[in-house]
Amino acid sequence: QVPQAGPVTTLGFPGAAGDQIFKFVPAKQGYDTFSFDDIDNAWLPSVPTLDVGEAVFVRKNAAANWTRTFSVNQ
């Protein structure tokens, strides 16, 4: 596995109606919450971005596979 950072949409996260991602924000000692809206087919309030090694909580309404296909340039 290769560590990668970026928006969850670029990282291939399978967002579905009602899914939520919780990111801890040390400065406010709380979480930012991102929810997937099936009407707009988008993350609200914005697409969450993950950093390498960052831990987040994910709440999915239904099981899904998070699969990625990529190649490493040599």
Side-chain angles (χ1 to χ4, degrees), residues 1 7 11 23 28 32 35 39 44 51-52 56 58-59 64 67 71-72:
Q1 295 182 346
L11 297 174
K23 287 181 58 169
K28 70 178 190 180
D32 281 348
S35 301
I39 295 172
L44 301 174
D51 291 323
V52 173
V56 296
V58 175
R59 181 184 168 273
T67 56
S71 61
V72 178

PDB file of all heavy atoms in Angstrom, residues 1 7 11 23 28 32 35 39 44 51-52 56 58-59 64 67 71-72:
ATOM      1  N   GLN A   1       0.823  -1.174   0.000  1.00  0.00           N
ATOM      2  CA  GLN A   1       0.000   0.000   0.000  1.00  0.00           C
ATOM      3  C   GLN A   1       0.870   1.240   0.000  1.00  0.00           C
ATOM      4  O   GLN A   1       1.926   1.267   0.613  1.00  0.00           O
ATOM      5  CB  GLN A   1      -0.905   0.006   1.212  1.00  0.00           C
ATOM      6  CG  GLN A   1      -1.920  -1.125   1.213  1.00  0.00           C
ATOM      7  CD  GLN A   1      -2.842  -1.047   2.418  1.00  0.00           C
ATOM      8  OE1 GLN A   1      -2.576  -0.329   3.357  1.00  0.00           O
ATOM      9  NE2 GLN A   1      -3.920  -1.787   2.356  1.00  0.00           N
ATOM     10  N   PRO A   7      -8.779  14.498  -1.451  1.00  0.00           N
ATOM     11  CA  PRO A   7     -10.229  14.454  -1.237  1.00  0.00           C
ATOM     12  C   PRO A   7     -10.722  13.009  -1.301  1.00  0.00           C
ATOM     13  O   PRO A   7     -10.211  12.205  -2.084  1.00  0.00           O
ATOM     14  CB  PRO A   7     -10.797  15.271  -2.394  1.00  0.00           C
ATOM     15  CG  PRO A   7      -9.639  16.006  -2.983  1.00  0.00           C
ATOM     16  CD  PRO A   7      -8.412  15.237  -2.658  1.00  0.00           C
ATOM     17  N   LEU A  11      -9.828   9.712  -3.708  1.00  0.00           N
ATOM     18  CA  LEU A  11      -9.329   8.471  -3.105  1.00  0.00           C
ATOM     19  C   LEU A  11     -10.294   7.301  -3.300  1.00  0.00           C
ATOM     20  O   LEU A  11     -10.023   6.204  -2.849  1.00  0.00           O
ATOM     21  CB  LEU A  11      -9.053   8.689  -1.612  1.00  0.00           C
ATOM     22  CG  LEU A  11      -7.967   9.716  -1.291  1.00  0.00           C
ATOM     23  CD1 LEU A  11      -7.897   9.956   0.208  1.00  0.00           C
ATOM     24  CD2 LEU A  11      -6.619   9.287  -1.842  1.00  0.00           C
ATOM     25  N   LYS A  23     -13.960  14.255  11.276  1.00  0.00           N
ATOM     26  CA  LYS A  23     -12.529  14.584  11.371  1.00  0.00           C
ATOM     27  C   LYS A  23     -12.289  15.404  12.632  1.00  0.00           C
ATOM     28  O   LYS A  23     -12.949  16.424  12.842  1.00  0.00           O
ATOM     29  CB  LYS A  23     -12.078  15.408  10.166  1.00  0.00           C
ATOM     30  CG  LYS A  23     -11.957  14.644   8.882  1.00  0.00           C
ATOM     31  CD  LYS A  23     -11.481  15.518   7.741  1.00  0.00           C
ATOM     32  CE  LYS A  23     -10.155  16.165   8.047  1.00  0.00           C
ATOM     33  NZ  LYS A  23      -9.529  16.805   6.895  1.00  0.00           N
ATOM     34  N   LYS A  28     -10.079  23.186  17.925  1.00  0.00           N
ATOM     35  CA  LYS A  28     -11.373  23.399  18.585  1.00  0.00           C
ATOM     36  C   LYS A  28     -11.763  22.234  19.497  1.00  0.00           C
ATOM     37  O   LYS A  28     -12.827  22.252  20.088  1.00  0.00           O
ATOM     38  CB  LYS A  28     -12.467  23.687  17.559  1.00  0.00           C
ATOM     39  CG  LYS A  28     -12.884  22.536  16.685  1.00  0.00           C
ATOM     40  CD  LYS A  28     -14.013  22.991  15.747  1.00  0.00           C
ATOM     41  CE  LYS A  28     -14.633  21.825  15.031  1.00  0.00           C
ATOM     42  NZ  LYS A  28     -15.711  22.249  14.137  1.00  0.00           N
ATOM     43  N   ASP A  32     -15.222  18.039  12.906  1.00  0.00           N
ATOM     44  CA  ASP A  32     -15.943  18.548  11.748  1.00  0.00           C
ATOM     45  C   ASP A  32     -16.682  17.370  11.151  1.00  0.00           C
ATOM     46  O   ASP A  32     -16.119  16.269  11.026  1.00  0.00           O
ATOM     47  CB  ASP A  32     -14.987  19.136  10.701  1.00  0.00           C
ATOM     48  CG  ASP A  32     -14.503  20.535  11.069  1.00  0.00           C
ATOM     49  OD1 ASP A  32     -15.069  21.143  11.991  1.00  0.00           O
ATOM     50  OD2 ASP A  32     -13.548  21.001  10.420  1.00  0.00           O
ATOM     51  N   SER A  35     -21.271  15.136   5.555  1.00  0.00           N
ATOM     52  CA  SER A  35     -22.356  14.207   5.244  1.00  0.00           C
ATOM     53  C   SER A  35     -22.548  14.101   3.744  1.00  0.00           C
ATOM     54  O   SER A  35     -22.466  15.101   3.026  1.00  0.00           O
ATOM     55  CB  SER A  35     -23.665  14.680   5.878  1.00  0.00           C
ATOM     56  OG  SER A  35     -23.523  14.790   7.275  1.00  0.00           O
ATOM     57  N   ILE A  39     -29.370  13.677  -2.698  1.00  0.00           N
ATOM     58  CA  ILE A  39     -30.123  14.549  -3.609  1.00  0.00           C
ATOM     59  C   ILE A  39     -29.158  15.352  -4.480  1.00  0.00           C
ATOM     60  O   ILE A  39     -29.326  15.456  -5.687  1.00  0.00           O
ATOM     61  CB  ILE A  39     -31.075  15.483  -2.833  1.00  0.00           C
ATOM     62  CG1 ILE A  39     -32.143  14.627  -2.144  1.00  0.00           C
ATOM     63  CG2 ILE A  39     -31.711  16.518  -3.758  1.00  0.00           C
ATOM     64  CD1 ILE A  39     -33.027  15.392  -1.193  1.00  0.00           C
ATOM     65  N   LEU A  44     -21.422  17.383   1.931  1.00  0.00           N
ATOM     66  CA  LEU A  44     -21.762  18.679   2.498  1.00  0.00           C
ATOM     67  C   LEU A  44     -21.157  18.802   3.885  1.00  0.00           C
ATOM     68  O   LEU A  44     -21.140  17.819   4.617  1.00  0.00           O
ATOM     69  CB  LEU A  44     -23.281  18.851   2.570  1.00  0.00           C
ATOM     70  CG  LEU A  44     -24.017  18.748   1.223  1.00  0.00           C
ATOM     71  CD1 LEU A  44     -25.510  18.789   1.452  1.00  0.00           C
ATOM     72  CD2 LEU A  44     -23.585  19.853   0.289  1.00  0.00           C
ATOM     73  N   ASP A  51      -5.448  13.457   5.157  1.00  0.00           N
ATOM     74  CA  ASP A  51      -3.993  13.517   5.104  1.00  0.00           C
ATOM     75  C   ASP A  51      -3.424  12.132   5.387  1.00  0.00           C
ATOM     76  O   ASP A  51      -4.096  11.280   5.985  1.00  0.00           O
ATOM     77  CB  ASP A  51      -3.455  14.511   6.136  1.00  0.00           C
ATOM     78  CG  ASP A  51      -3.786  15.945   5.792  1.00  0.00           C
ATOM     79  OD1 ASP A  51      -3.765  16.272   4.586  1.00  0.00           O
ATOM     80  OD2 ASP A  51      -4.071  16.731   6.706  1.00  0.00           O
ATOM     81  N   VAL A  52      -2.189  11.900   4.983  1.00  0.00           N
ATOM     82  CA  VAL A  52      -1.523  10.625   5.249  1.00  0.00           C
ATOM     83  C   VAL A  52      -1.450  10.430   6.759  1.00  0.00           C
ATOM     84  O   VAL A  52      -1.021  11.319   7.499  1.00  0.00           O
ATOM     85  CB  VAL A  52      -0.110  10.596   4.626  1.00  0.00           C
ATOM     86  CG1 VAL A  52       0.643   9.347   5.056  1.00  0.00           C
ATOM     87  CG2 VAL A  52      -0.200  10.674   3.113  1.00  0.00           C
ATOM     88  N   VAL A  56      -9.869   9.104  11.029  1.00  0.00           N
ATOM     89  CA  VAL A  56     -11.217   9.655  10.973  1.00  0.00           C
ATOM     90  C   VAL A  56     -12.196   8.562  11.375  1.00  0.00           C
ATOM     91  O   VAL A  56     -11.880   7.368  11.337  1.00  0.00           O
ATOM     92  CB  VAL A  56     -11.581  10.168   9.555  1.00  0.00           C
ATOM     93  CG1 VAL A  56     -10.695  11.325   9.138  1.00  0.00           C
ATOM     94  CG2 VAL A  56     -11.522   9.060   8.527  1.00  0.00           C
ATOM     95  N   VAL A  58     -15.857   6.943  10.361  1.00  0.00           N
ATOM     96  CA  VAL A  58     -16.773   6.872   9.221  1.00  0.00           C
ATOM     97  C   VAL A  58     -18.044   6.170   9.680  1.00  0.00           C
ATOM     98  O   VAL A  58     -17.986   5.106  10.312  1.00  0.00           O
ATOM     99  CB  VAL A  58     -16.150   6.082   8.044  1.00  0.00           C
ATOM    100  CG1 VAL A  58     -17.161   5.907   6.914  1.00  0.00           C
ATOM    101  CG2 VAL A  58     -14.897   6.774   7.542  1.00  0.00           C
ATOM    102  N   ARG A  59     -19.175   6.770   9.388  1.00  0.00           N
ATOM    103  CA  ARG A  59     -20.471   6.160   9.667  1.00  0.00           C
ATOM    104  C   ARG A  59     -21.146   5.890   8.327  1.00  0.00           C
ATOM    105  O   ARG A  59     -21.526   6.804   7.611  1.00  0.00           O
ATOM    106  CB  ARG A  59     -21.344   7.089  10.498  1.00  0.00           C
ATOM    107  CG  ARG A  59     -22.692   6.480  10.817  1.00  0.00           C
ATOM    108  CD  ARG A  59     -23.570   7.481  11.577  1.00  0.00           C
ATOM    109  NE  ARG A  59     -24.917   6.999  11.631  1.00  0.00           N
ATOM    110  CZ  ARG A  59     -25.842   7.208  10.698  1.00  0.00           C
ATOM    111  NH1 ARG A  59     -25.549   7.904   9.624  1.00  0.00           N
ATOM    112  NH2 ARG A  59     -27.051   6.724  10.825  1.00  0.00           N
ATOM    113  N   ALA A  64     -20.059  -1.340   2.203  1.00  0.00           N
ATOM    114  CA  ALA A  64     -19.537  -1.049   0.863  1.00  0.00           C
ATOM    115  C   ALA A  64     -18.051  -1.358   0.850  1.00  0.00           C
ATOM    116  O   ALA A  64     -17.397  -1.338   1.896  1.00  0.00           O
ATOM    117  CB  ALA A  64     -19.782   0.407   0.490  1.00  0.00           C
ATOM    118  N   THR A  67     -12.357   0.237  -2.676  1.00  0.00           N
ATOM    119  CA  THR A  67     -11.281  -0.343  -3.492  1.00  0.00           C
ATOM    120  C   THR A  67     -10.618   0.742  -4.314  1.00  0.00           C
ATOM    121  O   THR A  67     -11.257   1.713  -4.718  1.00  0.00           O
ATOM    122  CB  THR A  67     -11.815  -1.448  -4.421  1.00  0.00           C
ATOM    123  OG1 THR A  67     -12.866  -0.907  -5.222  1.00  0.00           O
ATOM    124  CG2 THR A  67     -12.370  -2.612  -3.622  1.00  0.00           C
ATOM    125  N   SER A  71      -1.309   2.973  -9.995  1.00  0.00           N
ATOM    126  CA  SER A  71       0.030   2.456 -10.220  1.00  0.00           C
ATOM    127  C   SER A  71       1.043   3.470  -9.688  1.00  0.00           C
ATOM    128  O   SER A  71       0.784   4.674  -9.670  1.00  0.00           O
ATOM    129  CB  SER A  71       0.281   2.213 -11.709  1.00  0.00           C
ATOM    130  OG  SER A  71       0.162   3.420 -12.424  1.00  0.00           O
ATOM    131  N   VAL A  72       2.182   2.959  -9.262  1.00  0.00           N
ATOM    132  CA  VAL A  72       3.224   3.805  -8.721  1.00  0.00           C
ATOM    133  C   VAL A  72       4.263   4.015  -9.810  1.00  0.00           C
ATOM    134  O   VAL A  72       4.794   3.072 -10.383  1.00  0.00           O
ATOM    135  CB  VAL A  72       3.882   3.149  -7.487  1.00  0.00           C
ATOM    136  CG1 VAL A  72       5.004   4.002  -6.953  1.00  0.00           C
ATOM    137  CG2 VAL A  72       2.832   2.894  -6.411  1.00  0.00           C
TER     138      VAL A  72
END
